[in-house]
Amino acid sequence: MRKAAITRNTTETSIKVAVDLDGSGKYAVKTGVGFLDHMLEQLSRHSLMDLEVEAKGDLHIDAHHTTEDVGISIGQAVAQALGDRKGIRRYGSAYVPMDEALTRVALDLSNRPYLIWKVAFGGDKLGTMDTELFKEWFQAFAQAAGATLHVESLYGDNDHHIVESCFKALARALREAVEIDPRKADAVPSTKGTLGGSL
């Protein structure tokens, strides 16, 4: 069963996350940041990963710590659920349009974390959320999940559409990358013979 549960408590946030990589896209998300909730629901629905997130953070300051720590916690849960990463397809990619916006995501679950982020926004806020925090979420997720992650907004005018296409493209790429390859279900997809725990 490729499931995991993470609890993360700091002086800034208290977070519980549960994932099932072989789910059906069911979600229950409550972070206190409305737009982030909306994006995580998209991540679950389009990756088919069941996702539960309950977060309480220092939102009286801003949404930075909550956003980053939720990214860390989801990434840790995905990494734990993957185990030794045996049998996974490892790579995934997707182009996702949303109206006038188009985003490309390429993903390698290599356990070598790296983020390339080529996304620009026209405004500073979406709802109450600072647009600069989306990069922080993707960075935190990539680092904790052990993913090489390239996110590129090819074009778009509406910041909501740009961000949503980023999360949906990650979801579709993740769905592909975590799938078990029936041709090599018993092998780690690396000539090294290991991905989990290696650099």
Side-chain angles (χ1 to χ4, degrees):
M1 302 297 289
R2 298 193 303 163
K3 300 180 180 181
I6 295 291
T7 299
R8 176 183 172 86
N9 291 305
T10 72
T11 58
E12 298 166 341
T13 61
S14 177
I15 298 171
K16 293 180 180 178
V17 166
V19 302
D20 180 354
L21 299 182
D22 301 306
S24 58
K26 294 184 296 184
Y27 52 80
V29 177
K30 189 174 182 181
T31 67
V33 184
F35 199 87
L36 181 60
D37 288 356
H38 182 42
M39 293 302 99
L40 297 180
E41 291 166 359
Q42 300 300 328
L43 177 66
S44 172
R45 176 64 183 86
H46 293 282
S47 67
L48 297 184
M49 172 180 70
D50 291 348
L51 177 63
E52 296 178 19
V53 180
E54 184 178 346
K56 295 178 181 178
D58 53 2
L59 296 179
H60 62 286
I61 298 174
D62 65 10
H64 187 283
H65 298 140
T66 299
T67 301
E68 183 176 38
D69 288 3
V70 165
I72 291 170
S73 299
I74 294 174
Q76 287 175 334
V78 167
Q80 183 174 308
L82 285 170
D84 63 4
R85 309 189 184 210
K86 184 179 290 186
I88 63 170
R89 294 190 186 276
R90 177 178 167 179
Y91 297 98
S93 61
Y95 284 82
V96 169
M98 185 166 183
D99 294 350
E100 86 299 339
L102 180 65
T103 296
R104 173 173 56 204
V105 165
L107 173 68
D108 177 11
L109 293 175
S110 59
N111 214 26
R112 291 191 303 276
Y114 204 93
L115 176 68
I116 295 294
W117 178 258
K118 295 187 177 182
V119 182
F121 301 110
D124 296 330
K125 295 271 191 183
L126 273 172
T128 60
M129 189 168 179
D130 296 329
T131 50
E132 68 181 12
L133 294 182
F134 295 111
K135 181 181 180 182
E136 299 302 321
W137 186 91
F138 276 82
Q139 177 65 55
F141 173 81
Q143 191 70 36
T148 296
L149 177 57
H150 292 237
V151 183
E152 185 176 7
S153 172
L154 300 179
Y155 43 80
D157 300 315
N158 182 291
D159 286 347
H160 187 133
H161 297 164
I162 291 169
V163 173
E164 191 159 336
S165 65
C166 289
F167 275 88
K168 286 178 175 177
L170 170 60
R172 295 296 297 193
L174 187 63
R175 176 178 171 180
E176 182 180 350
V178 303
E179 271 189 342
I180 298 298
D181 185 344
R183 297 173 64 191
K184 278 291 185 180
D186 60 342
V188 173
S190 171
T191 54
K192 296 177 183 178
T194 182
L195 287 174
S198 67
L199 292 175

Coordinates of all heavy atoms in Angstrom, one line a residue, residues 42-48 166-176:
Q42 N -6.8 20.8 -6.6 CA -6.5 20.5 -8.0 C -5.3 19.4 -8.1 O -5.4 18.5 -9.0 CB -6.0 21.7 -8.8 CG -7.1 22.8 -8.8 CD -8.4 22.4 -9.5 OE1 -8.4 21.6 -10.4 NE2 -9.5 23.0 -9.0
L43 N -4.3 19.6 -7.3 CA -3.2 18.6 -7.3 C -3.7 17.2 -7.0 O -3.4 16.2 -7.7 CB -2.2 19.0 -6.2 CG -1.0 18.0 -6.0 CD1 -0.1 18.0 -7.2 CD2 -0.2 18.4 -4.8
S44 N -4.6 17.0 -6.1 CA -5.2 15.7 -5.7 C -6.0 15.2 -6.9 O -5.9 14.1 -7.3 CB -6.0 15.8 -4.4 OG -6.7 14.6 -4.2
R45 N -7.0 16.0 -7.3 CA -7.9 15.6 -8.3 C -7.3 15.1 -9.6 O -7.6 14.1 -10.2 CB -8.9 16.7 -8.6 CG -9.9 16.4 -9.7 CD -10.8 15.3 -9.4 NE -11.8 14.9 -10.4 CZ -11.5 14.1 -11.4 NH1 -10.3 13.5 -11.5 NH2 -12.3 13.8 -12.4
H46 N -6.3 15.8 -10.0 CA -5.7 15.5 -11.4 C -4.5 14.6 -11.3 O -4.1 14.1 -12.3 CB -5.3 16.8 -12.1 CG -6.5 17.7 -12.4 ND1 -7.3 17.4 -13.5 CD2 -7.1 18.7 -11.8 CE1 -8.3 18.2 -13.5 NE2 -8.2 19.0 -12.5
S47 N -3.9 14.3 -10.1 CA -2.9 13.3 -10.0 C -3.5 11.9 -9.6 O -2.9 10.9 -9.7 CB -1.9 13.7 -8.9 OG -2.5 13.7 -7.6
L48 N -4.8 12.0 -9.2 CA -5.5 10.8 -8.6 C -4.9 10.3 -7.3 O -5.1 9.2 -6.8 CB -5.6 9.6 -9.6 CG -6.4 9.9 -10.9 CD1 -6.4 8.6 -11.7 CD2 -7.7 10.5 -10.6
C166 N -0.1 25.5 -13.5 CA 1.2 25.0 -12.9 C 0.8 23.8 -12.0 O 1.5 22.7 -12.0 CB 1.9 26.0 -12.0 SG 2.7 27.3 -13.0
F167 N -0.2 23.9 -11.1 CA -0.5 22.8 -10.2 C -1.1 21.6 -11.0 O -0.8 20.5 -10.6 CB -1.5 23.3 -9.1 CG -0.8 23.9 -7.9 CD1 -0.5 25.3 -7.9 CD2 -0.4 23.2 -6.8 CE1 0.2 25.9 -6.9 CE2 0.2 23.8 -5.7 CZ 0.5 25.1 -5.8
K168 N -1.9 21.9 -11.9 CA -2.5 20.8 -12.7 C -1.5 20.1 -13.5 O -1.5 18.9 -13.7 CB -3.6 21.4 -13.6 CG -4.9 21.7 -12.9 CD -6.0 22.3 -13.8 CE -7.3 22.6 -13.1 NZ -8.3 23.2 -13.9
A169 N -0.5 20.8 -14.1 CA 0.6 20.2 -14.8 C 1.4 19.3 -13.9 O 1.8 18.2 -14.3 CB 1.4 21.2 -15.6
L170 N 1.7 19.8 -12.7 CA 2.4 19.0 -11.7 C 1.7 17.7 -11.4 O 2.2 16.7 -11.4 CB 2.7 19.8 -10.5 CG 3.2 19.0 -9.3 CD1 4.6 18.3 -9.6 CD2 3.4 19.8 -8.0
A171 N 0.4 17.9 -11.2 CA -0.5 16.7 -10.9 C -0.4 15.7 -12.0 O -0.2 14.5 -11.7 CB -1.9 17.2 -10.7
R172 N -0.5 16.1 -13.2 CA -0.5 15.1 -14.4 C 0.9 14.5 -14.5 O 1.0 13.3 -14.8 CB -0.9 15.8 -15.7 CG -2.3 16.3 -15.7 CD -3.4 15.2 -15.6 NE -3.3 14.3 -16.7 CZ -4.3 13.5 -17.0 NH1 -5.4 13.4 -16.2 NH2 -4.2 12.7 -18.0
A173 N 1.9 15.2 -14.3 CA 3.3 14.7 -14.4 C 3.5 13.7 -13.2 O 4.1 12.7 -13.4 CB 4.3 15.8 -14.4
L174 N 3.0 14.1 -12.0 CA 3.2 13.2 -10.9 C 2.4 11.9 -11.0 O 2.9 10.8 -10.7 CB 2.7 14.0 -9.6 CG 3.0 13.3 -8.3 CD1 4.5 13.1 -8.0 CD2 2.3 14.1 -7.2
R175 N 1.2 12.0 -11.6 CA 0.4 10.8 -11.8 C 1.2 9.8 -12.7 O 1.2 8.6 -12.5 CB -0.9 11.2 -12.5 CG -1.8 10.1 -12.9 CD -3.1 10.6 -13.5 NE -3.9 9.5 -14.1 CZ -5.0 9.7 -14.6 NH1 -5.6 10.9 -14.7 NH2 -5.7 8.7 -15.2
E176 N 1.8 10.3 -13.7 CA 2.6 9.5 -14.6 C 3.9 8.9 -13.9 O 4.2 7.7 -14.1 CB 3.0 10.3 -15.9 CG 3.8 9.6 -16.9 CD 4.2 10.4 -18.1 OE1 3.7 11.6 -18.2 OE2 5.0 10.0 -18.9

